Amino acid sequence: MRALLYDRFGPPDVLHVAEIEAPHVTRGEVLVRVEAAALNPKDVLVRKGKFAWMSGRRFPKIPGYDFAGTVAAIGPRVHGFSRDEPVYGMINRWSAGACAEMVSVPADELAPKPRRLSMVEAAAVPLAALTALQALRDEARVSAGARVVINGASGGVGTFAVQIAKRLGAHVIAVCSRRNAALVSELGADDVCAYDERDVRELGGEVHVFFDVFGNQPYPKVKHLLSKRGRFVTTIPRPAAVARDVATRFTSRTARLVVVKSRARDLNLLRTWIDGGVLRPVVDRSLPLEQGVEAVEYLETRRARGKIVLTL
Ligand SMILES: NC(=O)c1ccc[n+]([C@@H]2O[C@H](COP(=O)([O-])OP(=O)(O)OC[C@H]3O[C@@H](n4cnc5c(N)ncnc54)[C@H](OP(=O)(O)O)[C@@H]3O)[C@@H](O)[C@H]2O)c1
């Protein structure tokens, strides 16, 4: 099968397309014929070797956590899927593997593909939307009427976070650059704070939830904005964020670190919202697998609007 892979940790140009043996389906897994795979900043960190203790040092490595495609084979002890069924999902294992014609995935890390979406659009959903869902619903416990700030609202996670916070009934203040203000308003943001015109730290009024998606507004910088029982959530696993997550477990104001987990239950909920017309992915661009290096270089500019997807 064709796969985008790398034989050592390093910059984007360690990536190349090659023919390798397709994986076999094992117990509890589903073999997926991948049609589209989305990229995430996690792919960049792993390829640079920053999480070698999690991803392992075995090569070649295939990037890609997000995929959409059809079921090619079903392993023993898997129920509820049929051959050729369109599916989408996110791989939990750090060693990844979705940027390939075939990937074998535990059955609880995939779900039927949202009917409304193309394969490219469906691949853009899982990791980013699951992060937004798990951060806002589980860590921040957003409720109707809450005033919620999303910092980094125009990126992969942020575009879903704006829509999911609205779905949970929040008043959403989206932080992004001026050029993306119209996009986040279209997604449902009630107010936009363009960081190139105004400092979010000077925002007036109480904030119930501050979700720092981008990672440049850590808790100490924004805690003065939070209400007495306000909740802060970050996506960035810095040591200070981990320590604060533990230290604020029993305080009235909390500072959580979200760590995304692939779960069929949540993928099914997202599918329901998408097919019901309340959630949609924003795809900045889709490129063929052969242009993987170009796609990754663009991701690394950190200026993508929504998601970047590779097609197979
Ligand atoms: N802990 C977890 O489980 C988890 C899960 C998912 C992601 N993450 C992390 O979350 C971060 C965001 O992920 P992502 O997929 O959303 O990244 P992304 O799509 O690459 O983010 C790009 C966006 O960042 C925005 N941005 C750039 N500079 C900014 C600034 N100074 N202030 C606010 N926004 C700015 C850009 O908007 P403008 O062009 O408008 O500036 C762009 O739309 C990454 O560090 C990723 O590793 C962690």
Side-chain angles (χ1 to χ4, degrees):
M1 68 170 185
R2 257 177 339 126
L4 183 69
L5 50 82
Y6 54 106
D7 301 300
R8 62 181 170 87
F9 294 129
D13 63 9
V14 297
L15 289 162
H16 58 280
V17 174
E19 282 288 332
I20 56 163
E21 208 181 307
H24 297 289
V25 68
T26 56
R27 195 169 72 179
E29 293 200 334
V30 175
L31 185 67
V32 178
R33 201 177 297 111
V34 179
E35 292 191 30
L39 298 173
N40 286 283
K42 185 172 178 180
D43 290 302
V44 175
L45 297 170
V46 170
R47 195 204 64 235
K48 287 181 175 170
K50 305 252 185 212
F51 286 92
W53 52 285
M54 293 295 278
S55 66
R57 292 176 180 277
R58 234 199 273 158
F59 295 100
K61 284 198 190 307
I62 301 170
Y65 296 92
D66 284 330
F67 61 87
T70 52
V71 172
I74 300 160
R77 304 216 182 151
V78 174
H79 308 283
F81 290 100
S82 50
R83 274 188 80 129
D84 299 325
E85 180 181 355
V87 290
Y88 81 136
M90 173 199 148
I91 299 168
N92 263 331
R93 59 175 183 257
W94 280 77
S95 54
C99 293
E101 283 175 320
M102 295 281 184
V103 67
S104 191
V105 186
D108 56 358
E109 296 176 11
L110 75 165
K113 178 182 86 64
R115 272 197 300 273
R116 247 180 204 252
L117 302 185
S118 66
M119 287 290 180
V120 165
E121 291 169 321
V125 174
L127 191 149
L130 288 170
T131 305
L133 175 69
Q134 292 166 10
L136 294 169
R137 179 196 61 187
D138 305 339
E139 304 298 345
R141 287 190 248 142
V142 170
S143 54
R147 208 160 165 254
V148 174
V149 175
I150 313 283
N151 179 52
S154 51
V157 176
T159 47
F160 286 110
V162 169
Q163 299 175 79
I164 290 172
K166 284 307 294 176
R167 177 69 184 74
L168 297 173
H171 175 98
V172 175
I173 302 160
V175 184
C176 60
S177 63
R178 168 54 51 197
R179 74 185 181 116
N180 286 322
L183 168 70
V184 297
S185 297
E186 250 170 66
L187 295 173
D190 298 285
D191 296 314
V192 179
C193 171
Y195 66 75
D196 36 10
E197 290 177 353
R198 191 173 152 209
D199 190 338
V200 65
R201 284 172 262 168
E202 284 158 21
L203 208 65
E206 263 189 349
V207 167
H208 302 106
V209 171
F210 193 107
F211 182 20
D212 183 22
V213 179
F214 186 69
N216 63 339
Q217 301 293 351
Y219 182 68
K221 285 192 182 178
V222 297
K223 71 173 179 202
H224 63 279
L225 298 175
L226 288 174
S227 61
K228 227 166 139 195
R229 299 192 154 271
R231 293 170 181 272
F232 172 89
V233 184
T234 181
T235 59
I236 312 296
R238 293 190 189 100
V242 177
R244 264 193 299 270
D245 185 295
V246 176
T248 64
R249 283 276 146 181
F250 303 103
T251 56
S252 56
R253 257 188 213 149
T254 58
R256 292 271 179 275
L257 166 67
V258 63
V259 180
V260 65
K261 282 168 215 72
S262 184
R263 288 191 202 117
R265 185 166 33 98
D266 285 346
L267 289 165
N268 279 316
L269 174 64
L270 293 169
R271 173 169 57 86
T272 311
W273 284 352
I274 290 166
D275 284 337
V278 292
L279 187 67
R280 68 172 176 94
V282 174
V283 177
D284 181 305
R285 59 190 66 178
S286 88
L287 295 167
L289 193 70
E290 285 65 24
Q291 282 172 252
V293 173
E294 189 184 317
V296 168
E297 282 172 345
Y298 181 53
L299 175 74
E300 291 188 29
T301 65
R302 306 210 67 185
R303 301 311 300 270
R305 291 154 57 103
K307 301 293 302 173
I308 304 162
V309 181
L310 294 176
T311 54
L312 285 107

